[in-house]
PDB file of all heavy atoms in Angstrom:
ATOM      1  N   LEU B   1      -9.302  52.123  15.914  1.00  0.00           N
ATOM      2  CA  LEU B   1      -8.402  51.413  16.823  1.00  0.00           C
ATOM      3  C   LEU B   1      -7.658  52.382  17.738  1.00  0.00           C
ATOM      4  O   LEU B   1      -7.500  52.128  18.935  1.00  0.00           O
ATOM      5  CB  LEU B   1      -7.403  50.566  16.018  1.00  0.00           C
ATOM      6  CG  LEU B   1      -7.982  49.342  15.299  1.00  0.00           C
ATOM      7  CD1 LEU B   1      -6.912  48.659  14.458  1.00  0.00           C
ATOM      8  CD2 LEU B   1      -8.569  48.360  16.308  1.00  0.00           C
ATOM      9  N   TYR B   2      -7.207  53.495  17.169  1.00  0.00           N
ATOM     10  CA  TYR B   2      -6.465  54.459  17.995  1.00  0.00           C
ATOM     11  C   TYR B   2      -7.377  55.101  19.034  1.00  0.00           C
ATOM     12  O   TYR B   2      -6.988  55.272  20.193  1.00  0.00           O
ATOM     13  CB  TYR B   2      -5.827  55.540  17.123  1.00  0.00           C
ATOM     14  CG  TYR B   2      -4.952  56.482  17.920  1.00  0.00           C
ATOM     15  CD1 TYR B   2      -3.730  56.064  18.408  1.00  0.00           C
ATOM     16  CD2 TYR B   2      -5.375  57.778  18.208  1.00  0.00           C
ATOM     17  CE1 TYR B   2      -2.937  56.908  19.174  1.00  0.00           C
ATOM     18  CE2 TYR B   2      -4.589  58.631  18.970  1.00  0.00           C
ATOM     19  CZ  TYR B   2      -3.374  58.196  19.437  1.00  0.00           C
ATOM     20  OH  TYR B   2      -2.591  59.031  20.190  1.00  0.00           O
ATOM     21  N   ALA B   3      -8.590  55.459  18.627  1.00  0.00           N
ATOM     22  CA  ALA B   3      -9.537  56.053  19.577  1.00  0.00           C
ATOM     23  C   ALA B   3      -9.863  55.066  20.695  1.00  0.00           C
ATOM     24  O   ALA B   3      -9.949  55.453  21.877  1.00  0.00           O
ATOM     25  CB  ALA B   3     -10.812  56.468  18.847  1.00  0.00           C
ATOM     26  N   PHE B   4     -10.017  53.794  20.350  1.00  0.00           N
ATOM     27  CA  PHE B   4     -10.294  52.774  21.362  1.00  0.00           C
ATOM     28  C   PHE B   4      -9.117  52.614  22.312  1.00  0.00           C
ATOM     29  O   PHE B   4      -9.296  52.492  23.531  1.00  0.00           O
ATOM     30  CB  PHE B   4     -10.612  51.437  20.681  1.00  0.00           C
ATOM     31  CG  PHE B   4     -10.870  50.310  21.639  1.00  0.00           C
ATOM     32  CD1 PHE B   4     -12.072  50.241  22.329  1.00  0.00           C
ATOM     33  CD2 PHE B   4      -9.915  49.327  21.865  1.00  0.00           C
ATOM     34  CE1 PHE B   4     -12.321  49.205  23.229  1.00  0.00           C
ATOM     35  CE2 PHE B   4     -10.141  48.299  22.759  1.00  0.00           C
ATOM     36  CZ  PHE B   4     -11.348  48.232  23.439  1.00  0.00           C
ATOM     37  N   ALA B   5      -7.890  52.630  21.769  1.00  0.00           N
ATOM     38  CA  ALA B   5      -6.702  52.475  22.606  1.00  0.00           C
ATOM     39  C   ALA B   5      -6.553  53.638  23.585  1.00  0.00           C
ATOM     40  O   ALA B   5      -6.241  53.435  24.761  1.00  0.00           O
ATOM     41  CB  ALA B   5      -5.456  52.363  21.726  1.00  0.00           C
ATOM     42  N   VAL B   6      -6.797  54.858  23.108  1.00  0.00           N
ATOM     43  CA  VAL B   6      -6.692  56.034  23.986  1.00  0.00           C
ATOM     44  C   VAL B   6      -7.768  55.984  25.066  1.00  0.00           C
ATOM     45  O   VAL B   6      -7.494  56.243  26.252  1.00  0.00           O
ATOM     46  CB  VAL B   6      -6.803  57.334  23.167  1.00  0.00           C
ATOM     47  CG1 VAL B   6      -6.930  58.540  24.087  1.00  0.00           C
ATOM     48  CG2 VAL B   6      -5.591  57.497  22.267  1.00  0.00           C
ATOM     49  N   ALA B   7      -8.995  55.649  24.675  1.00  0.00           N
ATOM     50  CA  ALA B   7     -10.091  55.565  25.644  1.00  0.00           C
ATOM     51  C   ALA B   7      -9.808  54.491  26.689  1.00  0.00           C
ATOM     52  O   ALA B   7     -10.070  54.678  27.887  1.00  0.00           O
ATOM     53  CB  ALA B   7     -11.406  55.273  24.928  1.00  0.00           C
ATOM     54  N   LEU B   8      -9.235  53.363  26.252  1.00  0.00           N
ATOM     55  CA  LEU B   8      -8.915  52.280  27.174  1.00  0.00           C
ATOM     56  C   LEU B   8      -7.812  52.705  28.140  1.00  0.00           C
ATOM     57  O   LEU B   8      -7.894  52.462  29.347  1.00  0.00           O
ATOM     58  CB  LEU B   8      -8.475  51.047  26.380  1.00  0.00           C
ATOM     59  CG  LEU B   8      -8.330  49.738  27.159  1.00  0.00           C
ATOM     60  CD1 LEU B   8      -9.705  49.268  27.641  1.00  0.00           C
ATOM     61  CD2 LEU B   8      -7.696  48.664  26.275  1.00  0.00           C
ATOM     62  N   PHE B   9      -6.782  53.369  27.598  1.00  0.00           N
ATOM     63  CA  PHE B   9      -5.661  53.808  28.433  1.00  0.00           C
ATOM     64  C   PHE B   9      -6.120  54.811  29.477  1.00  0.00           C
ATOM     65  O   PHE B   9      -5.796  54.694  30.668  1.00  0.00           O
ATOM     66  CB  PHE B   9      -4.568  54.421  27.556  1.00  0.00           C
ATOM     67  CG  PHE B   9      -3.399  54.959  28.335  1.00  0.00           C
ATOM     68  CD1 PHE B   9      -2.424  54.101  28.817  1.00  0.00           C
ATOM     69  CD2 PHE B   9      -3.284  56.316  28.592  1.00  0.00           C
ATOM     70  CE1 PHE B   9      -1.345  54.584  29.546  1.00  0.00           C
ATOM     71  CE2 PHE B   9      -2.214  56.819  29.309  1.00  0.00           C
ATOM     72  CZ  PHE B   9      -1.236  55.951  29.788  1.00  0.00           C
ATOM     73  N   LEU B  10      -6.896  55.816  29.051  1.00  0.00           N
ATOM     74  CA  LEU B  10      -7.346  56.854  29.973  1.00  0.00           C
ATOM     75  C   LEU B  10      -8.418  56.330  30.921  1.00  0.00           C
ATOM     76  O   LEU B  10      -8.346  56.550  32.136  1.00  0.00           O
ATOM     77  CB  LEU B  10      -7.884  58.056  29.189  1.00  0.00           C
ATOM     78  CG  LEU B  10      -6.858  58.867  28.399  1.00  0.00           C
ATOM     79  CD1 LEU B  10      -7.560  59.946  27.578  1.00  0.00           C
ATOM     80  CD2 LEU B  10      -5.829  59.507  29.324  1.00  0.00           C
ATOM     81  N   GLY B  11      -9.423  55.656  30.340  1.00  0.00           N
ATOM     82  CA  GLY B  11     -10.532  55.188  31.160  1.00  0.00           C
ATOM     83  C   GLY B  11     -10.116  54.136  32.169  1.00  0.00           C
ATOM     84  O   GLY B  11     -10.327  54.294  33.374  1.00  0.00           O
ATOM     85  N   VAL B  12      -9.477  53.074  31.684  1.00  0.00           N
ATOM     86  CA  VAL B  12      -9.116  51.971  32.574  1.00  0.00           C
ATOM     87  C   VAL B  12      -7.903  52.329  33.431  1.00  0.00           C
ATOM     88  O   VAL B  12      -7.905  52.131  34.651  1.00  0.00           O
ATOM     89  CB  VAL B  12      -8.841  50.689  31.756  1.00  0.00           C
ATOM     90  CG1 VAL B  12      -8.382  49.560  32.672  1.00  0.00           C
ATOM     91  CG2 VAL B  12     -10.085  50.273  30.986  1.00  0.00           C
ATOM     92  N   GLY B  13      -6.858  52.883  32.797  1.00  0.00           N
ATOM     93  CA  GLY B  13      -5.634  53.182  33.533  1.00  0.00           C
ATOM     94  C   GLY B  13      -5.845  54.206  34.635  1.00  0.00           C
ATOM     95  O   GLY B  13      -5.459  53.996  35.792  1.00  0.00           O
ATOM     96  N   ASP B  14      -6.462  55.338  34.291  1.00  0.00           N
ATOM     97  CA  ASP B  14      -6.656  56.398  35.287  1.00  0.00           C
ATOM     98  C   ASP B  14      -7.628  55.963  36.381  1.00  0.00           C
ATOM     99  O   ASP B  14      -7.394  56.223  37.569  1.00  0.00           O
ATOM    100  CB  ASP B  14      -7.164  57.667  34.603  1.00  0.00           C
ATOM    101  CG  ASP B  14      -6.084  58.333  33.772  1.00  0.00           C
ATOM    102  OD1 ASP B  14      -4.955  57.799  33.712  1.00  0.00           O
ATOM    103  OD2 ASP B  14      -6.360  59.384  33.159  1.00  0.00           O
ATOM    104  N   VAL B  15      -8.710  55.323  35.999  1.00  0.00           N
ATOM    105  CA  VAL B  15      -9.688  54.874  36.993  1.00  0.00           C
ATOM    106  C   VAL B  15      -9.063  53.829  37.919  1.00  0.00           C
ATOM    107  O   VAL B  15      -9.321  53.823  39.139  1.00  0.00           O
ATOM    108  CB  VAL B  15     -10.950  54.327  36.312  1.00  0.00           C
ATOM    109  CG1 VAL B  15     -11.865  53.639  37.320  1.00  0.00           C
ATOM    110  CG2 VAL B  15     -11.706  55.448  35.610  1.00  0.00           C
ATOM    111  N   ALA B  16      -8.235  52.953  37.368  1.00  0.00           N
ATOM    112  CA  ALA B  16      -7.577  51.928  38.192  1.00  0.00           C
ATOM    113  C   ALA B  16      -6.657  52.575  39.226  1.00  0.00           C
ATOM    114  O   ALA B  16      -6.619  52.168  40.395  1.00  0.00           O
ATOM    115  CB  ALA B  16      -6.787  50.969  37.304  1.00  0.00           C
ATOM    116  N   PHE B  17      -5.898  53.602  38.805  1.00  0.00           N
ATOM    117  CA  PHE B  17      -5.007  54.279  39.747  1.00  0.00           C
ATOM    118  C   PHE B  17      -5.810  54.987  40.833  1.00  0.00           C
ATOM    119  O   PHE B  17      -5.465  54.928  42.016  1.00  0.00           O
ATOM    120  CB  PHE B  17      -4.122  55.291  39.023  1.00  0.00           C
ATOM    121  CG  PHE B  17      -3.131  55.985  39.921  1.00  0.00           C
ATOM    122  CD1 PHE B  17      -1.888  55.435  40.162  1.00  0.00           C
ATOM    123  CD2 PHE B  17      -3.466  57.176  40.555  1.00  0.00           C
ATOM    124  CE1 PHE B  17      -0.986  56.058  41.013  1.00  0.00           C
ATOM    125  CE2 PHE B  17      -2.577  57.815  41.404  1.00  0.00           C
ATOM    126  CZ  PHE B  17      -1.325  57.251  41.631  1.00  0.00           C
ATOM    127  N   ILE B  18      -6.893  55.665  40.434  1.00  0.00           N
ATOM    128  CA  ILE B  18      -7.736  56.358  41.417  1.00  0.00           C
ATOM    129  C   ILE B  18      -8.354  55.356  42.380  1.00  0.00           C
ATOM    130  O   ILE B  18      -8.396  55.577  43.601  1.00  0.00           O
ATOM    131  CB  ILE B  18      -8.825  57.173  40.692  1.00  0.00           C
ATOM    132  CG1 ILE B  18      -8.199  58.339  39.923  1.00  0.00           C
ATOM    133  CG2 ILE B  18      -9.854  57.703  41.688  1.00  0.00           C
ATOM    134  CD1 ILE B  18      -9.159  59.082  39.020  1.00  0.00           C
ATOM    135  N   ALA B  19      -8.828  54.221  41.855  1.00  0.00           N
ATOM    136  CA  ALA B  19      -9.435  53.194  42.708  1.00  0.00           C
ATOM    137  C   ALA B  19      -8.410  52.628  43.682  1.00  0.00           C
ATOM    138  O   ALA B  19      -8.719  52.418  44.872  1.00  0.00           O
ATOM    139  CB  ALA B  19     -10.012  52.076  41.839  1.00  0.00           C
ATOM    140  N   TYR B  20      -7.188  52.405  43.210  1.00  0.00           N
ATOM    141  CA  TYR B  20      -6.128  51.900  44.107  1.00  0.00           C
ATOM    142  C   TYR B  20      -5.834  52.918  45.199  1.00  0.00           C
ATOM    143  O   TYR B  20      -5.707  52.561  46.384  1.00  0.00           O
ATOM    144  CB  TYR B  20      -4.867  51.608  43.310  1.00  0.00           C
ATOM    145  CG  TYR B  20      -3.680  51.262  44.193  1.00  0.00           C
ATOM    146  CD1 TYR B  20      -3.552  50.003  44.760  1.00  0.00           C
ATOM    147  CD2 TYR B  20      -2.709  52.233  44.476  1.00  0.00           C
ATOM    148  CE1 TYR B  20      -2.468  49.696  45.589  1.00  0.00           C
ATOM    149  CE2 TYR B  20      -1.635  51.937  45.300  1.00  0.00           C
ATOM    150  CZ  TYR B  20      -1.523  50.675  45.852  1.00  0.00           C
ATOM    151  OH  TYR B  20      -0.452  50.373  46.670  1.00  0.00           O
ATOM    152  N   SER B  21      -5.720  54.193  44.829  1.00  0.00           N
ATOM    153  CA  SER B  21      -5.428  55.241  45.807  1.00  0.00           C
ATOM    154  C   SER B  21      -6.506  55.293  46.885  1.00  0.00           C
ATOM    155  O   SER B  21      -6.212  55.363  48.089  1.00  0.00           O
ATOM    156  CB  SER B  21      -5.330  56.607  45.113  1.00  0.00           C
ATOM    157  OG  SER B  21      -4.282  56.622  44.177  1.00  0.00           O
ATOM    158  N   TYR B  22      -7.765  55.240  46.458  1.00  0.00           N
ATOM    159  CA  TYR B  22      -8.838  55.307  47.438  1.00  0.00           C
ATOM    160  C   TYR B  22      -8.978  54.015  48.237  1.00  0.00           C
ATOM    161  O   TYR B  22      -9.449  54.035  49.382  1.00  0.00           O
ATOM    162  CB  TYR B  22     -10.146  55.699  46.761  1.00  0.00           C
ATOM    163  CG  TYR B  22     -10.293  57.198  46.704  1.00  0.00           C
ATOM    164  CD1 TYR B  22      -9.918  57.909  45.580  1.00  0.00           C
ATOM    165  CD2 TYR B  22     -10.753  57.906  47.807  1.00  0.00           C
ATOM    166  CE1 TYR B  22     -10.010  59.290  45.539  1.00  0.00           C
ATOM    167  CE2 TYR B  22     -10.855  59.284  47.779  1.00  0.00           C
ATOM    168  CZ  TYR B  22     -10.474  59.971  46.647  1.00  0.00           C
ATOM    169  OH  TYR B  22     -10.555  61.339  46.632  1.00  0.00           O
ATOM    170  N   GLY B  23      -8.555  52.907  47.673  1.00  0.00           N
ATOM    171  CA  GLY B  23      -8.508  51.670  48.458  1.00  0.00           C
ATOM    172  C   GLY B  23      -7.530  51.803  49.622  1.00  0.00           C
ATOM    173  O   GLY B  23      -7.835  51.402  50.761  1.00  0.00           O
ATOM    174  N   GLN B  24      -6.357  52.389  49.336  1.00  0.00           N
ATOM    175  CA  GLN B  24      -5.376  52.614  50.395  1.00  0.00           C
ATOM    176  C   GLN B  24      -5.871  53.656  51.394  1.00  0.00           C
ATOM    177  O   GLN B  24      -5.630  53.543  52.602  1.00  0.00           O
ATOM    178  CB  GLN B  24      -4.055  53.073  49.774  1.00  0.00           C
ATOM    179  CG  GLN B  24      -3.406  52.052  48.853  1.00  0.00           C
ATOM    180  CD  GLN B  24      -3.111  50.735  49.554  1.00  0.00           C
ATOM    181  OE1 GLN B  24      -2.504  50.722  50.613  1.00  0.00           O
ATOM    182  NE2 GLN B  24      -3.581  49.639  48.985  1.00  0.00           N
ATOM    183  N   ILE B  25      -6.553  54.678  50.895  1.00  0.00           N
ATOM    184  CA  ILE B  25      -7.088  55.716  51.791  1.00  0.00           C
ATOM    185  C   ILE B  25      -8.124  55.122  52.739  1.00  0.00           C
ATOM    186  O   ILE B  25      -8.100  55.388  53.956  1.00  0.00           O
ATOM    187  CB  ILE B  25      -7.700  56.866  50.957  1.00  0.00           C
ATOM    188  CG1 ILE B  25      -6.594  57.670  50.272  1.00  0.00           C
ATOM    189  CG2 ILE B  25      -8.557  57.771  51.831  1.00  0.00           C
ATOM    190  CD1 ILE B  25      -7.100  58.684  49.270  1.00  0.00           C
ATOM    191  N   VAL B  26      -9.039  54.314  52.201  1.00  0.00           N
ATOM    192  CA  VAL B  26     -10.071  53.699  53.038  1.00  0.00           C
ATOM    193  C   VAL B  26      -9.440  52.810  54.097  1.00  0.00           C
ATOM    194  O   VAL B  26      -9.840  52.832  55.275  1.00  0.00           O
ATOM    195  CB  VAL B  26     -11.059  52.894  52.168  1.00  0.00           C
ATOM    196  CG1 VAL B  26     -11.970  52.029  53.035  1.00  0.00           C
ATOM    197  CG2 VAL B  26     -11.888  53.828  51.302  1.00  0.00           C
ATOM    198  N   ARG B  27      -8.429  52.040  53.687  1.00  0.00           N
ATOM    199  CA  ARG B  27      -7.758  51.165  54.652  1.00  0.00           C
ATOM    200  C   ARG B  27      -7.091  51.969  55.771  1.00  0.00           C
ATOM    201  O   ARG B  27      -7.142  51.591  56.942  1.00  0.00           O
ATOM    202  CB  ARG B  27      -6.710  50.307  53.936  1.00  0.00           C
ATOM    203  CG  ARG B  27      -6.123  49.209  54.820  1.00  0.00           C
ATOM    204  CD  ARG B  27      -5.276  48.264  54.032  1.00  0.00           C
ATOM    205  NE  ARG B  27      -4.032  48.895  53.582  1.00  0.00           N
ATOM    206  CZ  ARG B  27      -3.044  48.232  52.979  1.00  0.00           C
ATOM    207  NH1 ARG B  27      -3.194  46.931  52.709  1.00  0.00           N
ATOM    208  NH2 ARG B  27      -1.954  48.858  52.614  1.00  0.00           N
TER     209      ARG B  27
END
């Protein structure tokens, strides 16, 4: 459970922030 939570936080959270940043950059 802990490994899944860390992977979810890093994978989804970081990728979401990067995707948002590049969405604003593209715009």
Side-chain angles (χ1 to χ4, degrees):
L1 290 176
Y2 185 72
F4 178 75
V6 171
L8 190 67
F9 177 79
L10 292 175
V12 177
D14 288 1
V15 170
F17 183 88
I18 292 172
Y20 172 78
S21 298
Y22 272 95
Q24 297 301 309
I25 289 171
V26 169
R27 189 171 70 173

